[in-house]
Amino acid sequence: MIMAPISSDLLHCINHDEWTSAIVAASLQVMCQIVTAAGNTAEALRREISGNCTAMRTMQIILDCEDCGEELCVLAIKILTQLDMENRESFICKLLAIFTANKDSHIRGLAGEKLATLSVESEHNAKIILNKNDDFVRRLTEVLLQDESNECRITAAWILESLCIRHYTDEDDECVKRLKEIMIDVMPKVLREVLHYGPNTKEAAEDTGLSTQASCESCDLEKGQRGDDSQDSIRNYYTSAEPGDVHCNDGQLQAELLSFSVMVFDKLIDADPNLPQKVVAIAPQDSVFSLARKLKEMVERYRLSAHPPVDCLRMLKLTTKIVIAIMKSIDWHWDEDMESLKISLSKALEKMSDFDGLMIISSAGRDHGVVEKRSDVTLGSLIKEAFVLLDKIKSRKLEIVPVIALSRET
């Protein structure tokens, strides 16, 4: 009886009358509560709904129908995501089409959220996205780089990360090879934005595929030194940045872009020997805009930030991972910017070490006293690894200087 308005396709038979829309909406609302409930009874009801072919077909029609309205589409997506479907591929393709349509709406955000969930929970679901061809992956990267909605950009990063993490070991899969090629092409463009390189011109925007935005060189670090930790001061800090300053206006977006860059370095650095050169190419070759200086500015930004400590800690960990990844992949030469980077990392560790320890204790409490023994869970362990790499670079310089001096004397 609950499914009757859906299984009979009342909505389209009566041509979207007001009373039919209300009845169908009520039916979908109850079905949504059923499929998201826990317990054996709910599981049995999910199987019954999944077995009703006419009801499943009607919900698919709702997603394709321009007259059904957003509320009905949202409910249909929530229900279908929870059910076993014979034609899962068709549903995922529909979600992809909605999410990459670049039209701001609640249904678009929900479609992206469900896509991320489906791609993580099942390798089969992730394969559907990859195996269609590279068009869907390309469209996801367009959302990641160009979309006006930060929420959709974050979701696109989640989906792409899940695809790479699940499939980067399938070396012989042509779809995976194509995925790697696209991710390696995209990562320097993401890192360019992360490091505040712009783009500031139309030509730069066309070259990187990013929207033109103001440079963030003048981001005011003084705001991060205020002693007031009230919610008002934090809210003021979020809203006081210059236009285009994604780092200050949207911390979550910045975190996801950093996480995406770290993932590409970790998983795909061996897939393209030219990736280090592509990373170096994002930075103008002069001391003012060196990679080391940009990374140092990022460390200082989060060290002095008025954001909640848990957010700053996460951003500092991700930034340090980027430092490590770049130093491992690029043949750097020691200079004063690298010395400043090392000093900034040391100050960040001094400020955050106590809070980092508190977070470990808190995590242990949630895990019933069991702390995972992972070398990369603390900021201290990450900075220690970065210092080892920095010291190696510095020692190479010290070894080269006497050789040069002896050559000149000769």
Side-chain angles (χ1 to χ4, degrees), residues 5 10 18-28:
L10 178 66
E18 183 177 349
W19 71 276
T20 58
S21 297
I23 292 173
V24 170
S27 175
L28 288 172

Side-chain angles (χ1 to χ4, degrees), residues 177-319:
K177 290 179 181 179
R178 187 58 180 154
L179 173 67
K180 289 181 178 181
E181 292 175 3
I182 295 173
M183 292 301 95
I184 290 170
D185 180 59
V186 166
M187 195 279 285
K189 300 171 186 177
V190 173
L191 195 58
R192 181 186 179 96
E193 180 175 352
V194 166
L195 293 174
H196 289 189
Y197 276 116
N200 297 312
T201 66
K202 179 180 179 182
E203 291 75 15
E206 292 173 349
D207 178 60
T208 62
L210 297 172
S211 303
T212 303
Q213 63 181 35
S215 175
C216 300
E217 296 304 317
S218 61
C219 184
D220 188 1
L221 295 179
E222 295 295 326
K223 296 167 186 167
Q225 297 175 326
R226 293 173 299 192
D228 182 9
D229 291 331
S230 67
Q231 289 297 319
D232 286 341
S233 71
I234 293 172
R235 187 181 302 109
N236 290 337
Y237 181 74
Y238 271 107
T239 57
S240 60
E242 295 297 323
D245 190 348
V246 298
H247 303 266
C248 297
N249 283 338
D250 195 325
Q252 188 180 5
L253 173 61
Q254 173 73 349
E256 295 309 325
L257 294 179
L258 271 172
S259 178
F260 178 87
S261 301
V262 169
M263 180 277 301
V264 174
F265 263 116
D266 287 347
K267 303 299 182 184
L268 304 180
I269 187 65
D270 295 331
D272 183 5
N274 297 319
L275 182 58
Q277 286 72 31
K278 292 178 181 178
V279 172
V280 172
I282 70 174
Q285 296 304 304
D286 58 69
S287 59
V288 177
F289 295 104
S290 73
L291 278 173
R293 178 170 295 189
K294 283 295 185 180
L295 291 167
K296 179 252 185 182
E297 289 174 359
M298 288 177 65
V299 173
E300 288 294 286
R301 184 172 297 110
Y302 303 125
R303 182 177 73 86
L304 300 173
S305 173
H307 288 49
V310 66
D311 295 336
C312 294
L313 180 62
R314 183 191 180 198
M315 299 301 285
L316 284 168
K317 285 184 178 181
L318 287 169
T319 302

Side-chain angles (χ1 to χ4, degrees), residues 347-386:
K347 290 180 179 179
L349 179 59
E350 181 180 356
K351 178 179 179 180
M352 300 300 297
S353 59
D354 289 344
F355 183 75
D356 201 5
L358 180 62
M359 293 298 294
I360 293 175
I361 295 173
S362 176
S363 298
R366 290 195 299 270
D367 295 332
H368 307 289
V370 178
V371 179
E372 294 185 30
K373 295 182 179 180
R374 295 182 298 175
S375 60
D376 62 343
V377 295
T378 65
L379 179 63
S381 65
L382 291 170
I383 290 180
K384 182 178 179 180
E385 183 178 356

Side-chain angles (χ1 to χ4, degrees), residues 22-202:
I23 292 173
V24 170
S27 175
L28 288 172
Q29 288 167 0
V30 177
M31 289 172 63
C32 189
Q33 293 182 49
I34 290 172
V35 299
T36 56
N40 295 332
T41 301
E43 180 62 32
L45 289 170
R46 277 193 289 272
R47 287 196 298 269
E48 184 173 344
I49 294 172
S50 299
N52 189 318
C53 296
T54 54
M56 297 291 285
R57 185 165 54 250
T58 297
M59 285 186 283
Q60 292 267 20
I61 292 172
I62 289 173
L63 295 182
D64 293 321
C65 180
E66 296 182 357
D67 296 323
C68 279
E70 186 172 293
E71 179 188 4
L72 298 181
C73 290
V74 166
L75 289 168
I77 289 174
K78 288 181 177 180
I79 295 168
L80 291 170
T81 306
Q82 299 293 327
L83 301 177
D84 294 327
M85 301 173 59
E86 292 184 5
N87 195 359
R88 172 70 73 180
E89 180 175 337
S90 174
F91 178 55
I92 290 177
C93 290
K94 173 54 65 176
L95 291 179
L96 280 163
I98 294 172
F99 180 63
T100 57
N102 199 24
K103 296 178 181 178
D104 289 333
S105 66
H106 177 58
I107 187 174
R108 184 189 178 207
L110 178 65
E113 175 190 326
K114 297 305 181 184
L115 273 174
T117 301
L118 290 170
S119 62
V120 168
E121 74 178 17
S122 166
E123 184 172 339
H124 173 70
N125 293 336
K127 281 285 189 182
I128 291 174
I129 300 175
L130 289 179
N131 290 338
K132 290 301 293 181
N133 53 44
D134 71 321
D135 183 56
F136 280 143
V137 175
R138 281 289 183 192
R139 286 159 66 184
L140 286 170
T141 60
E142 288 174 3
V143 175
L144 174 68
L145 294 173
Q146 300 175 353
D147 205 274
E148 295 181 358
S149 167
N150 284 349
E151 289 75 14
C152 289
R153 295 185 67 192
I154 290 167
T155 303
W158 289 346
I159 298 170
L160 290 168
E161 278 192 65
S162 68
L163 293 177
C164 291
I165 290 170
R166 278 192 170 276
H167 299 293
Y168 80 96
T169 56
D170 299 342
E171 300 292 344
D172 298 328
D173 191 318
E174 289 299 323
C175 293
V176 174
K177 290 179 181 179
R178 187 58 180 154
L179 173 67
K180 289 181 178 181
E181 292 175 3
I182 295 173
M183 292 301 95
I184 290 170
D185 180 59
V186 166
M187 195 279 285
K189 300 171 186 177
V190 173
L191 195 58
R192 181 186 179 96
E193 180 175 352
V194 166
L195 293 174
H196 289 189
Y197 276 116
N200 297 312
T201 66
K202 179 180 179 182

